[in-house]
Amino acid sequence: MHSTPSSTAPEAGGAAARSRLGAPQVGTLPSGPRDAITDVAGVSVAHCTLADGPVQTGATVLLPQPGNLFLQQLPAGVAVINGFGKSAGLVQVQELGTLESPIALVSTLAVGTAFTALVRDAIAHTPELARSLPTVNPLVFECNDGWLNDAQALPLQEAHVLQALAAARQGGGSFDEGSVGAGRGMSCHGLKGGIGSASRCVRWQGRGYTLGALVLANQGRPGALTVAGQRIAVPMQLPGRPPQAPAAERGSIIMLLATDAPLDARQLTRVARRAAAGLARTGSDYGHGSGDIALAFSTAMRLPQRPTEPMPALPLLHEAALDGLFQAAAEATEQAILHALFAATAVTGREGHHRPSLRDVAPHLFHKDSA
């Protein structure tokens, strides 16, 4: 599994507060110790990256909790902000409010491959699946990396998804961000996008809860990028490089939210909707061709697959407590998008297509110690 440095404390004094990676610290809530989705206990993330000439793609797998997710599920909710996408498994989550598989992030034409890989893994761990037990509902989310990656070559194989899943099962709280895994070929506001993560902590009646976000950032028009309230001019033509892709918002973003707060599926759907607030703060207006989807899940309880096992009797948070989690969802999503941009490195791929990094076009945004 890839690793990144632990998060650092914000700067004191007159300078703007900085998160890890030198990105501006947005919002007012404190982050967790890693400022990543893995601040929620039991959550792990790993990648498999393919970077070879015209092949610039990969897989990122989020493991929501250890153990058999098919037999012991988690409550979850989905918010489809703009539905231009080809994800798998969303309908059943919307209907039942449960998460029963790891979550795979891939490029658009690899959804079927990742779906099959997760099915094979589920069968290996639960031989009764699709026999004495129901079939599994694997969750696969996608964004289109076709500007940089030769998507027609269908380079991602089941083995790559299973490699990322195996690495996620090894645990550990740190993982790479930016141009890695499913984020390898992604673009964001005309720049190199990819994987980003962040977390925020809230308190309610003396108890503390953590909410973490993981994004696959592939959205936004170049002229609309906003970093901590500052509009950033992104050039469409770089010296010695082919012209950038058209300026219309035709990308997508996947936003995964994890929390240890005891919430049910309805409440989690409400939390998932607030990811859109963080997305909007970075300059996205959810264009016609942008698939913007958020999923939120809670690790506070496990829901049994078998009807003979008792359901948990855990008290849920009061609706009034959700305001803090709404704020956390917006701030963590915005911060995660910035982390994707600040971590990403430039990539040249199919037919010489190139995406510069944020550092290439706006080095003044980076803290002097983040080089």
Side-chain angles (χ1 to χ4, degrees):
M1 184 158 52
H2 298 288
S3 62
T4 55
S6 299
S7 60
T8 56
E11 295 175 17
R18 296 276 172 168
S19 72
R20 57 185 178 80
L21 303 171
Q25 184 84 9
V26 298
T28 59
L29 293 172
S31 66
R34 300 185 184 94
D35 198 9
I37 197 169
T38 49
D39 285 327
V40 178
V43 177
S44 60
V45 177
H47 314 288
C48 178
T49 303
L50 306 181
D52 184 11
V55 173
Q56 302 291 333
T57 192
T60 295
V61 172
L62 183 147
L63 187 64
Q65 287 286 275
N68 192 318
L69 284 163
F70 178 71
L71 295 179
Q72 295 292 324
Q73 302 171 11
L74 301 176
V78 173
V80 178
I81 300 157
N82 194 65
F84 200 103
K86 290 82 179 171
S87 299
L90 294 186
V91 174
Q92 184 169 310
V93 175
Q94 290 175 317
E95 181 69 21
L96 301 184
T98 56
L99 172 61
E100 60 183 44
S101 82
I103 302 171
L105 304 177
V106 294
S107 63
T108 301
L109 298 186
V111 170
T113 299
F115 182 96
T116 302
L118 294 182
V119 168
R120 292 190 194 280
D121 178 79
I123 291 172
H125 286 86
T126 311
E128 317 97 286
L129 191 152
R131 291 183 175 172
S132 61
L133 290 174
T135 57
V136 69
N137 182 48
L139 270 179
V140 184
F141 294 92
E142 56 79 29
C143 291
N144 185 358
D145 60 10
W147 173 253
L148 291 173
N149 174 52
D150 184 3
Q152 288 187 357
L154 303 177
L156 193 76
Q157 303 299 308
E158 291 178 33
H160 299 131
V161 179
L162 295 174
Q163 179 182 331
L165 175 55
R169 285 201 169 109
Q170 293 176 7
S174 297
F175 57 95
D176 276 349
E177 295 166 78
S179 307
V180 294
R184 178 65 189 177
M186 300 300 168
S187 304
C188 188
H189 290 278
L191 301 171
K192 188 64 195 69
I195 297 291
S197 191
S199 70
R200 292 293 184 266
C201 301
V202 299
R203 297 194 67 79
W204 172 256
Q205 295 185 342
R207 298 197 62 178
Y209 301 101
T210 300
L211 182 143
L214 180 81
V215 302
L216 179 60
N218 189 55
Q219 82 287 349
R221 293 177 287 106
L225 175 61
T226 304
V227 176
Q230 177 185 355
R231 186 64 61 90
I232 306 299
V234 177
M236 291 303 297
Q237 180 69 55
L238 297 174
R241 295 290 183 183
Q244 297 277 65
E249 182 158 357
R250 294 175 179 169
S252 299
I253 183 170
I254 303 302
M255 298 162 284
L256 305 180
L257 305 179
T259 183
D260 53 12
L263 305 178
D264 64 14
R266 180 189 58 78
Q267 292 173 315
L268 288 163
T269 299
R270 298 188 69 199
V271 171
R273 289 195 194 105
R274 272 59 184 190
L279 174 59
R281 292 171 189 172
T282 63
S284 175
D285 47 16
Y286 329 140
H288 161 67
S290 185
D292 307 309
I293 300 171
L295 177 135
F297 64 89
S298 170
T299 64
M301 66 189 85
R302 301 296 287 261
L303 308 173
Q305 166 70 247
R306 292 188 172 94
T308 55
E309 298 179 19
M311 293 290 284
L314 183 68
L316 301 176
L317 283 188
H318 193 280
E319 297 298 306
L322 294 185
D323 273 338
L325 292 168
F326 291 166
Q327 181 182 352
E331 290 187 10
T333 300
E334 180 184 9
Q335 191 76 68
I337 293 169
L338 296 186
H339 283 163
L341 286 162
F342 274 72
T345 54
V347 169
T348 301
R350 178 179 67 86
E351 299 177 3
H353 291 176
H354 179 77
R355 287 295 192 211
S357 69
L358 179 63
R359 185 184 293 273
D360 293 332
V361 303
H364 65 281
L365 294 175
F366 287 73
H367 184 243
K368 62 182 179 180
D369 295 330
S370 67

PDB file of all heavy atoms in Angstrom, residues 11 15-16 18-19 21-23 342 359 362-371:
ATOM      1  N   GLU A  11      -0.497  26.351  10.438  1.00  0.00           N
ATOM      2  CA  GLU A  11       0.387  27.416  10.847  1.00  0.00           C
ATOM      3  C   GLU A  11      -0.314  28.343  11.832  1.00  0.00           C
ATOM      4  O   GLU A  11      -1.517  28.550  11.772  1.00  0.00           O
ATOM      5  CB  GLU A  11       0.814  28.246   9.638  1.00  0.00           C
ATOM      6  CG  GLU A  11       1.657  27.477   8.638  1.00  0.00           C
ATOM      7  CD  GLU A  11       1.929  28.327   7.423  1.00  0.00           C
ATOM      8  OE1 GLU A  11       1.759  29.554   7.486  1.00  0.00           O
ATOM      9  OE2 GLU A  11       2.309  27.754   6.408  1.00  0.00           O
ATOM     10  N   ALA A  15      -0.066  34.035   8.895  1.00  0.00           N
ATOM     11  CA  ALA A  15      -0.109  33.273   7.658  1.00  0.00           C
ATOM     12  C   ALA A  15      -1.367  32.416   7.620  1.00  0.00           C
ATOM     13  O   ALA A  15      -1.879  31.987   8.646  1.00  0.00           O
ATOM     14  CB  ALA A  15       1.128  32.392   7.545  1.00  0.00           C
ATOM     15  N   ALA A  16      -1.858  32.166   6.396  1.00  0.00           N
ATOM     16  CA  ALA A  16      -3.030  31.319   6.229  1.00  0.00           C
ATOM     17  C   ALA A  16      -2.724  29.917   6.733  1.00  0.00           C
ATOM     18  O   ALA A  16      -1.643  29.386   6.521  1.00  0.00           O
ATOM     19  CB  ALA A  16      -3.426  31.277   4.753  1.00  0.00           C
ATOM     20  N   ARG A  18      -2.470  26.039   6.937  1.00  0.00           N
ATOM     21  CA  ARG A  18      -2.212  25.057   5.881  1.00  0.00           C
ATOM     22  C   ARG A  18      -2.487  23.655   6.391  1.00  0.00           C
ATOM     23  O   ARG A  18      -2.174  23.318   7.529  1.00  0.00           O
ATOM     24  CB  ARG A  18      -0.749  25.155   5.427  1.00  0.00           C
ATOM     25  CG  ARG A  18      -0.403  26.492   4.786  1.00  0.00           C
ATOM     26  CD  ARG A  18      -0.765  26.513   3.336  1.00  0.00           C
ATOM     27  NE  ARG A  18      -0.625  27.833   2.761  1.00  0.00           N
ATOM     28  CZ  ARG A  18      -0.667  28.070   1.454  1.00  0.00           C
ATOM     29  NH1 ARG A  18      -0.851  27.090   0.599  1.00  0.00           N
ATOM     30  NH2 ARG A  18      -0.557  29.294   0.995  1.00  0.00           N
ATOM     31  N   SER A  19      -3.058  22.830   5.522  1.00  0.00           N
ATOM     32  CA  SER A  19      -3.210  21.415   5.817  1.00  0.00           C
ATOM     33  C   SER A  19      -1.952  20.703   5.333  1.00  0.00           C
ATOM     34  O   SER A  19      -0.998  21.344   4.875  1.00  0.00           O
ATOM     35  CB  SER A  19      -4.436  20.859   5.092  1.00  0.00           C
ATOM     36  OG  SER A  19      -4.185  20.766   3.706  1.00  0.00           O
ATOM     37  N   LEU A  21       0.259  18.639   2.688  1.00  0.00           N
ATOM     38  CA  LEU A  21       0.450  18.879   1.261  1.00  0.00           C
ATOM     39  C   LEU A  21       0.552  20.357   0.930  1.00  0.00           C
ATOM     40  O   LEU A  21       0.670  20.731  -0.226  1.00  0.00           O
ATOM     41  CB  LEU A  21      -0.673  18.251   0.416  1.00  0.00           C
ATOM     42  CG  LEU A  21      -0.900  16.743   0.577  1.00  0.00           C
ATOM     43  CD1 LEU A  21      -2.159  16.313  -0.150  1.00  0.00           C
ATOM     44  CD2 LEU A  21       0.307  15.972   0.061  1.00  0.00           C
ATOM     45  N   GLY A  22       0.524  21.232   1.943  1.00  0.00           N
ATOM     46  CA  GLY A  22       0.628  22.659   1.695  1.00  0.00           C
ATOM     47  C   GLY A  22      -0.639  23.308   1.224  1.00  0.00           C
ATOM     48  O   GLY A  22      -0.643  24.494   0.881  1.00  0.00           O
ATOM     49  N   ALA A  23      -1.754  22.573   1.193  1.00  0.00           N
ATOM     50  CA  ALA A  23      -3.018  23.156   0.756  1.00  0.00           C
ATOM     51  C   ALA A  23      -3.584  24.063   1.837  1.00  0.00           C
ATOM     52  O   ALA A  23      -3.366  23.832   3.024  1.00  0.00           O
ATOM     53  CB  ALA A  23      -4.020  22.044   0.441  1.00  0.00           C
ATOM     54  N   PHE A 342      -3.483  19.427  -4.998  1.00  0.00           N
ATOM     55  CA  PHE A 342      -2.165  19.752  -4.466  1.00  0.00           C
ATOM     56  C   PHE A 342      -1.228  18.545  -4.504  1.00  0.00           C
ATOM     57  O   PHE A 342      -0.008  18.712  -4.586  1.00  0.00           O
ATOM     58  CB  PHE A 342      -2.281  20.299  -3.040  1.00  0.00           C
ATOM     59  CG  PHE A 342      -2.530  21.783  -2.983  1.00  0.00           C
ATOM     60  CD1 PHE A 342      -3.764  22.316  -3.345  1.00  0.00           C
ATOM     61  CD2 PHE A 342      -1.536  22.655  -2.577  1.00  0.00           C
ATOM     62  CE1 PHE A 342      -4.003  23.691  -3.307  1.00  0.00           C
ATOM     63  CE2 PHE A 342      -1.762  24.035  -2.530  1.00  0.00           C
ATOM     64  CZ  PHE A 342      -2.990  24.547  -2.895  1.00  0.00           C
ATOM     65  N   ARG A 359       0.659  22.820  -9.221  1.00  0.00           N
ATOM     66  CA  ARG A 359       1.949  23.463  -8.917  1.00  0.00           C
ATOM     67  C   ARG A 359       2.582  24.056 -10.176  1.00  0.00           C
ATOM     68  O   ARG A 359       3.250  25.093 -10.114  1.00  0.00           O
ATOM     69  CB  ARG A 359       2.898  22.439  -8.279  1.00  0.00           C
ATOM     70  CG  ARG A 359       4.216  23.049  -7.820  1.00  0.00           C
ATOM     71  CD  ARG A 359       5.155  21.975  -7.289  1.00  0.00           C
ATOM     72  NE  ARG A 359       4.681  21.378  -6.063  1.00  0.00           N
ATOM     73  CZ  ARG A 359       4.934  21.873  -4.849  1.00  0.00           C
ATOM     74  NH1 ARG A 359       5.653  22.984  -4.721  1.00  0.00           N
ATOM     75  NH2 ARG A 359       4.490  21.261  -3.784  1.00  0.00           N
ATOM     76  N   ALA A 362       0.263  27.326 -10.846  1.00  0.00           N
ATOM     77  CA  ALA A 362       0.032  28.269  -9.744  1.00  0.00           C
ATOM     78  C   ALA A 362       0.947  27.948  -8.569  1.00  0.00           C
ATOM     79  O   ALA A 362       0.477  27.626  -7.472  1.00  0.00           O
ATOM     80  CB  ALA A 362      -1.432  28.234  -9.315  1.00  0.00           C
ATOM     81  N   PRO A 363       2.263  28.032  -8.779  1.00  0.00           N
ATOM     82  CA  PRO A 363       3.188  27.679  -7.688  1.00  0.00           C
ATOM     83  C   PRO A 363       3.048  28.577  -6.471  1.00  0.00           C
ATOM     84  O   PRO A 363       3.424  28.174  -5.363  1.00  0.00           O
ATOM     85  CB  PRO A 363       4.569  27.821  -8.335  1.00  0.00           C
ATOM     86  CG  PRO A 363       4.353  28.736  -9.504  1.00  0.00           C
ATOM     87  CD  PRO A 363       2.968  28.438  -9.991  1.00  0.00           C
ATOM     88  N   HIS A 364       2.487  29.779  -6.674  1.00  0.00           N
ATOM     89  CA  HIS A 364       2.342  30.694  -5.534  1.00  0.00           C
ATOM     90  C   HIS A 364       1.367  30.176  -4.489  1.00  0.00           C
ATOM     91  O   HIS A 364       1.373  30.657  -3.344  1.00  0.00           O
ATOM     92  CB  HIS A 364       1.869  32.056  -6.043  1.00  0.00           C
ATOM     93  CG  HIS A 364       0.496  32.024  -6.652  1.00  0.00           C
ATOM     94  ND1 HIS A 364       0.266  31.567  -7.944  1.00  0.00           N
ATOM     95  CD2 HIS A 364      -0.725  32.381  -6.158  1.00  0.00           C
ATOM     96  CE1 HIS A 364      -1.033  31.653  -8.208  1.00  0.00           C
ATOM     97  NE2 HIS A 364      -1.653  32.143  -7.140  1.00  0.00           N
ATOM     98  N   LEU A 365       0.519  29.204  -4.863  1.00  0.00           N
ATOM     99  CA  LEU A 365      -0.433  28.673  -3.906  1.00  0.00           C
ATOM    100  C   LEU A 365       0.195  27.737  -2.888  1.00  0.00           C
ATOM    101  O   LEU A 365      -0.400  27.440  -1.855  1.00  0.00           O
ATOM    102  CB  LEU A 365      -1.544  27.907  -4.644  1.00  0.00           C
ATOM    103  CG  LEU A 365      -2.473  28.714  -5.556  1.00  0.00           C
ATOM    104  CD1 LEU A 365      -3.414  27.791  -6.291  1.00  0.00           C
ATOM    105  CD2 LEU A 365      -3.247  29.739  -4.736  1.00  0.00           C
ATOM    106  N   PHE A 366       1.395  27.266  -3.203  1.00  0.00           N
ATOM    107  CA  PHE A 366       2.008  26.241  -2.368  1.00  0.00           C
ATOM    108  C   PHE A 366       2.855  26.883  -1.289  1.00  0.00           C
ATOM    109  O   PHE A 366       3.612  27.819  -1.529  1.00  0.00           O
ATOM    110  CB  PHE A 366       2.870  25.300  -3.227  1.00  0.00           C
ATOM    111  CG  PHE A 366       2.062  24.368  -4.071  1.00  0.00           C
ATOM    112  CD1 PHE A 366       1.374  24.826  -5.180  1.00  0.00           C
ATOM    113  CD2 PHE A 366       1.966  23.029  -3.752  1.00  0.00           C
ATOM    114  CE1 PHE A 366       0.620  23.971  -5.964  1.00  0.00           C
ATOM    115  CE2 PHE A 366       1.222  22.168  -4.517  1.00  0.00           C
ATOM    116  CZ  PHE A 366       0.550  22.645  -5.633  1.00  0.00           C
ATOM    117  N   HIS A 367       2.729  26.326  -0.095  1.00  0.00           N
ATOM    118  CA  HIS A 367       3.539  26.794   1.030  1.00  0.00           C
ATOM    119  C   HIS A 367       4.997  26.497   0.737  1.00  0.00           C
ATOM    120  O   HIS A 367       5.339  25.494   0.117  1.00  0.00           O
ATOM    121  CB  HIS A 367       3.083  26.080   2.317  1.00  0.00           C
ATOM    122  CG  HIS A 367       3.771  26.553   3.533  1.00  0.00           C
ATOM    123  ND1 HIS A 367       4.570  25.739   4.286  1.00  0.00           N
ATOM    124  CD2 HIS A 367       3.797  27.761   4.130  1.00  0.00           C
ATOM    125  CE1 HIS A 367       5.064  26.426   5.320  1.00  0.00           C
ATOM    126  NE2 HIS A 367       4.598  27.643   5.235  1.00  0.00           N
ATOM    127  N   LYS A 368       5.879  27.355   1.168  1.00  0.00           N
ATOM    128  CA  LYS A 368       7.290  27.219   0.855  1.00  0.00           C
ATOM    129  C   LYS A 368       7.870  25.902   1.364  1.00  0.00           C
ATOM    130  O   LYS A 368       8.883  25.422   0.823  1.00  0.00           O
ATOM    131  CB  LYS A 368       8.071  28.383   1.455  1.00  0.00           C
ATOM    132  CG  LYS A 368       8.001  28.457   2.988  1.00  0.00           C
ATOM    133  CD  LYS A 368       8.746  29.671   3.529  1.00  0.00           C
ATOM    134  CE  LYS A 368       8.634  29.745   5.047  1.00  0.00           C
ATOM    135  NZ  LYS A 368       9.359  30.950   5.595  1.00  0.00           N
ATOM    136  N   ASP A 369       7.255  25.277   2.390  1.00  0.00           N
ATOM    137  CA  ASP A 369       7.792  24.048   2.941  1.00  0.00           C
ATOM    138  C   ASP A 369       7.158  22.801   2.329  1.00  0.00           C
ATOM    139  O   ASP A 369       7.416  21.691   2.761  1.00  0.00           O
ATOM    140  CB  ASP A 369       7.581  23.998   4.466  1.00  0.00           C
ATOM    141  CG  ASP A 369       8.370  25.080   5.166  1.00  0.00           C
ATOM    142  OD1 ASP A 369       9.437  25.446   4.641  1.00  0.00           O
ATOM    143  OD2 ASP A 369       7.915  25.548   6.222  1.00  0.00           O
ATOM    144  N   SER A 370       6.279  22.987   1.320  1.00  0.00           N
ATOM    145  CA  SER A 370       5.557  21.841   0.768  1.00  0.00           C
ATOM    146  C   SER A 370       6.164  21.315  -0.513  1.00  0.00           C
ATOM    147  O   SER A 370       5.610  20.465  -1.159  1.00  0.00           O
ATOM    148  CB  SER A 370       4.086  22.218   0.510  1.00  0.00           C
ATOM    149  OG  SER A 370       3.991  23.169  -0.528  1.00  0.00           O
ATOM    150  N   ALA A 371       7.320  21.860  -0.922  1.00  0.00           N
ATOM    151  CA  ALA A 371       7.922  21.411  -2.168  1.00  0.00           C
ATOM    152  C   ALA A 371       8.388  19.975  -2.061  1.00  0.00           C
ATOM    153  O   ALA A 371       8.741  19.507  -1.001  1.00  0.00           O
ATOM    154  CB  ALA A 371       9.110  22.317  -2.498  1.00  0.00           C
TER     155      ALA A 371
END
